[in-house]
Amino acid sequence: MESIFVLDIGTRTVMGLIASLEDGKLSVSHLIYKEHKTRSMLDGQIHNVEQVTQIVKEIVQEIRSLSGLELKKVAVAAAGRALRTVRGTAKVKFPVGTVITREDVLSLELQAVQDAQLALPKNQGYIPLSQQYYCVGYSVVEQHLDNITIGSLVGQRGQDADLQVVATFLPRIVVDSLQTVVEQAGLELFSITLEPIAVANLVLNPTMRRLNLVLVDIGAGTSDIAVCGDNTVSAFGMVPMAGDEITEAICDAYLLDFNVGEQVKRNLTDENITVTDVLGIEQNLKKSEVLTTLVPAVDSLAEAIAQEIYGLNGKTPQAVLLVGGGSLTPGLTRSLAEKLQLPENRVAVQQAGKLNNVLNLPPDSLGPNFITVLGIAYTGLTCPTMGFVSVNINDIPVRLLNIGKNTVAEALLAGGFNLRDLYGRPGMALTFEINGQMVSIPGKMGTPGSITLNGEPAQLNNTVRQGDKIIFTPGKPGEEAKATYGEVLKDYFGFCRVNGKNVEIKPVVKTGNKIISLEDNIVDGSKAEVVTKQTVKDVLAEAGFLGGSTEVTVNGKVLSLLDMSLCTINGKKAKLDDQVAPGDHIYFEPVKNLTVDNFLPGTVTKGTALQVYVNGEKVALQQGEKIWVNKNPAERTTPVQPGDEIDYQFCDKKFPPILIDIFNKINFSPNPPPGKTRLLLLVNNEEKEYTYPLQDGDKIEISWT
């Protein structure tokens, strides 16, 4: 019957144990423990290396003396206080119609674990995080599909999937430190596990693990938490509060030394406790008063544990098992049940003496504070492979902590391989705005990668063993999305006919005031304005009818020749700014054979004066004319071309005449008659100013008032 030697170094005590398996049960041969003489450890951390080392050596020497064994190998456990629990997320976009498989979800979970790993402290910046931490477990807390919370992604159809995990990591330096302590004590490390796992292996038998149970190991400095469900231990956590907080509350209330306060806490089974405080005053403490004093501290500890359980489990568990010396704190089970909204009988303290799979426990070792050391022994005996598993990935040796059933995924994670590369990342999407609306074009899907295990095709959840060889071939990323504006706006293209000729109608793309070619590639993040409606003028320009100048300037005023042309849409007269739709028929006839006469006022003809009436008498104005084209003398019959500049005058004055011009044509005395002072000027019965322009046939009345 092979025995195992175990060391459990705790905040308050160090325990040594020799045990063996007897018909599948743990049989204890020797169990001794010693308390630290001073507070050489606080909250699970060593503060005085020499004192801790000394007490460890004393335990080893005493066990050797009692057992007569040489004790070369030892089993240890890393405390839960060293665990780092962080959250990570991962997202993926599936092609339309994809049925999400368990393998897809597992890959997404592990990507989230890697995301969580990035949040860990980088103790050694030049060493990859995968080589600074072991991942010892994770649990999925949230899953979403197309922005809807969902219980499980497996078997669902959708495009945008994401999930969040709570992952737990153990710093490798902790393992290395334990190994160093063991070596300095003259021992060899036989196996290593985590305290929460060791306790779970002993207390939670396989049939219990299908239930959603939480195991809390409350020591002196920390409270370690393990969550189980679906036949596995899925998550670990730690609260840096435990029995010492209760002791300190007693010390603060009654001015006691820490060791005295610890004795008061352990003697709370007595109705009256006599102590001497730090001032030398003797006090007689009543149990009921002390318990009342401890309520805030107990509630605070319960609240911290409950919040960590919610964070790890995402919901209220079915039951909670408490172990460790701190689990004996009065009122803790009741307070924790309230915080978790559980019946009080669903939060229970597990006693070592009541474990069915433990034999020959000494009478003084039956409490919950002895379960951790027993769990380390049980785990070391029932899981002989505990320790490390070495595998080879792409000819690179990778060591991972063997905490149970190790998988290909965990090996890749430990090796620092990016699991996002397994399926081949899709190419980058092209995202841009058109007329204020966001448009996104997905990149092409990548080419899946492959995994082989010892030469055979493998999945992420395949089990790996010592010496296995893994070949990981990353997938190839997809091409980035590319598109031109012409490709994106192809539905806006069409044809109309101009004078029987097909003319393509194209959208116009602008960024600011700059017109972009439809052949240009769209830039990611760009914003463009697209004009999809075109006018007659736009189509005529596309058809080539508007080449060169289309304007003439007359006496400084710009006139459009297009307005003088004949234009119809589908047989109806049209204007240049009318809109054109695909399929329209446009007829356009440019104006031809233009002369100066086409641009002179229609009321004036050569040799004819402008006629007005002044106080009933006909008066002729403006006889003769002067015309220039492009500054050169011209006649009415002079041809006019687009771009020409025409100037003309009638009667040496610029046409048309104004009201004051009539005084040069009539006899009018500027002196008013007696009693009159104001000159009244009426044009067509309306009073006008001297500068009023006259038209042919105007009736003018002049009088003094």
Side-chain angles (χ1 to χ4, degrees), residues 245-247 249-250 265 268 289-299 329-330:
E245 272 66 30
I246 306 303
T247 304
I250 295 173
K265 183 178 70 173
L268 283 176
E289 293 178 355
V290 177
L291 294 180
T292 300
T293 301
L294 291 181
V295 168
V298 172
D299 285 347
T329 301

Side-chain angles (χ1 to χ4, degrees), residues 214-228:
V214 174
L215 186 66
V216 185
D217 184 355
I218 306 173
T222 61
S223 298
D224 299 336
I225 299 170
V227 177
C228 76

